[in-house]
Amino acid sequence: MTRIAFIGLGNMGGGMAANQARAGHTVRAFDLSAAAVERAVAAGCQAAASVSEAVADAEVVITMLPAGPHVRSVYGDQILKSAPKSALLIDCSTIDVESARVVAAQAAEAGFRFADAPVSGGVMAAEAGSLAFMVGCAAVDFPIIEAALDPMSRVTIHAGDHGAGQAAKICNNMLLGVSMLGTCEAFVLADKLGLAADRFFEIASKSSGQCWSVTSYCPVPGVGPQTPADRHYEGGFATAMMLKDLKLSQEAAAKAGASTPMGAQAEALYALFDGNGFGGKDFSAIIELLRGKLAQLT
Ligand code: NAD
C-alpha cells in the first residue's frame, strides 16, 4: 500500500484518484473545489485541507491540473516546499513542454524525482483505469513511475527525458486534429459526389486512406462502430480540449522553429468551430461546419 497525494480532482483526476484508492492505496486528495474533494472522499480517498497537507508524508504525488501556469505554481509554491524529498512526483496534466521542463529542473534542483506523464483517453478511460500514459523522465526512474501509474493505466510508454511526454501528447493530438479534418472533408466530398457514406467507410477502411479517425471514430452517424457521432456528438473528446492541445502544438512549433502548416490550419478551424459556441461538442462534430450545417448541432 502506497501513500499517494492526489492534487486536481476534476473530470479526469476524480476518476484517476478513485482508481488509486480502489487499488488499496491511501489517497490524500486536494482540489480547490470542495465538491470535487467530497466526490473523491465518496470514492474512497481521504480529504486534505491544502496541497501542503496532502503531500506532507506522501510517497507518490500525482497532479492533474488544467494548464501550465497551474502546474508551475502548485509545484513551485507548494509541492517542492512541503513534500518529503523521497516522494516521486508525477504530473499527468497536459501542459506546454517548456513548463514541464522548468518544473522538472526545479524538482531536480530540490532533490526530487519528477515525471511529466500526460494521458490519452478521456473521462471514461479515467474512470475505467484504461488511460494511455506517455512519460518524460530519467530512464532509471521509469519502472517505478510505470508501477505507480498502473491502477489508472492501459499502457504506459517511456517517451524520453523530461518534457518528452508532453511533446508526444501534443504531436499525437496535432496529428489527430489534422486526420479528423481530412476524414471529415473526405466524407463531405463523397456525399456531394453521390457516394454512400457506408460504402466509402468500407473502402477507406481497407485502403490507403485508412486511419483511426475513419475506422474507430467515424464522424458520420450510423457508419462504422458506435462513436459520438451516434450520440449527436455528445461526450467523447471536447472541441475545447482539442483546441487547447492544438494551441500548445502551435506554440511549441513556433518556439522550436518547426513548420506545421496543417496543424496551424487545424487550430484555425477548431478555433472557428469553438468560437461558434460548439466547444462542448465532440471534436468530430466539426464535420457539420464543413457541411455548412452548423444549425443541425443546436
Ligand atoms: P478539470 O477542469 O475538470 O479539472 C481540473 C481540476 O484542477 C479542477 O477540479 C480544479 O478545481 C483543480 N485545480 C485547479 N487549480 C488548482 C490548484 N491550484 N490546486 C488544486 N486543484 C486545482 O479538467 P480535466 O478535464 O480533469 O483535465 C485535467 C487535465 O487533463 C488538463 O490538463 C487536460 O488538458 C488533460 N486531459 C483532459 C482530458 C479530458 O477528456 N477531459 C483528456 C486528456 C487529458
Side-chain angles (χ1 to χ4, degrees):
M1 196 204 280
T2 305
R3 289 187 305 281
I4 297 174
F6 208 111
I7 315 297
L9 308 162
N11 293 323
M12 296 294 290
M16 293 163 70
N19 280 319
Q20 291 288 8
R22 212 167 285 135
H25 301 304
T26 301
V27 182
R28 311 218 58 204
F30 178 72
D31 193 292
L32 293 177
S33 153
V37 176
E38 271 172 36
R39 280 193 296 275
V41 169
C45 303
Q46 297 174 4
S50 64
V51 171
S52 303
E53 188 182 307
V55 305
D57 66 347
E59 295 167 279
V60 175
V61 176
I62 300 174
T63 46
M64 194 54 168
L65 296 163
H70 306 84
V71 172
R72 284 190 191 226
S73 110
V74 167
Y75 277 90
D77 301 341
Q78 297 169 85
I79 295 174
L80 298 182
K81 291 183 177 156
S82 307
K85 300 284 181 209
S86 55
L88 180 65
L89 312 181
I90 308 176
D91 178 42
C92 298
S93 327
T94 300
I95 66 171
D96 57 291
V97 175
E98 192 185 341
S99 289
R101 290 189 173 140
V102 166
V103 173
Q106 290 172 342
E109 201 179 328
F112 290 95
R113 291 162 299 162
F114 174 85
D116 51 291
V119 304
S120 177
V123 177
M124 280 164 61
E127 283 168 4
S130 60
L131 293 165
F133 287 84
M134 37 211 105
V135 182
C137 67
V140 67
D141 294 334
F142 180 69
I144 185 173
I145 289 160
E146 186 178 24
L149 297 174
D150 182 67
M152 312 182 291
S153 163
R154 169 173 57 82
V155 60
T156 300
I157 298 170
H158 187 215
D161 210 343
H162 297 115
Q166 298 296 349
K169 168 78 185 180
I170 60 173
C171 290
N172 179 74
N173 280 18
M174 183 180 78
L175 177 56
L176 175 61
V178 168
S179 78
M180 178 54 77
L181 282 163
T183 299
C184 290
E185 286 186 6
F187 274 97
V188 170
L189 177 60
D191 185 40
K192 294 268 186 210
L193 297 176
L195 174 59
D198 65 337
R199 297 295 79 212
F200 179 56
F201 170 81
E202 190 173 346
I203 292 161
S205 297
K206 294 174 180 139
S207 304
S208 47
Q210 187 276 333
C211 65
W212 187 84
S213 296
V214 172
T215 51
S216 300
Y217 214 89
C218 187
V220 180
V223 175
Q226 284 276 311
T227 67
D230 299 304
R231 303 189 295 273
H232 204 55
Y233 303 100
E234 297 299 337
F237 184 43
T239 289
M241 288 284 176
M242 173 52 88
L243 180 58
K244 174 193 167 186
D245 293 353
L246 286 168
K247 281 183 192 297
L248 287 175
S249 76
Q250 294 317 291
E251 285 162 18
K255 281 191 183 130
S259 173
T260 55
M262 303 295 284
Q265 188 65 33
E267 184 200 351
L269 284 165
Y270 275 104
L272 181 65
F273 190 47
D274 182 69
N276 274 277
F278 298 108
K281 287 282 183 189
D282 181 74
F283 79 117
S284 65
I286 202 163
I287 193 168
E288 300 297 5
L289 176 74
L290 299 172
R291 279 193 210 283
K293 292 189 175 166
L294 277 179
Q296 291 193 1
L297 287 174
T298 51

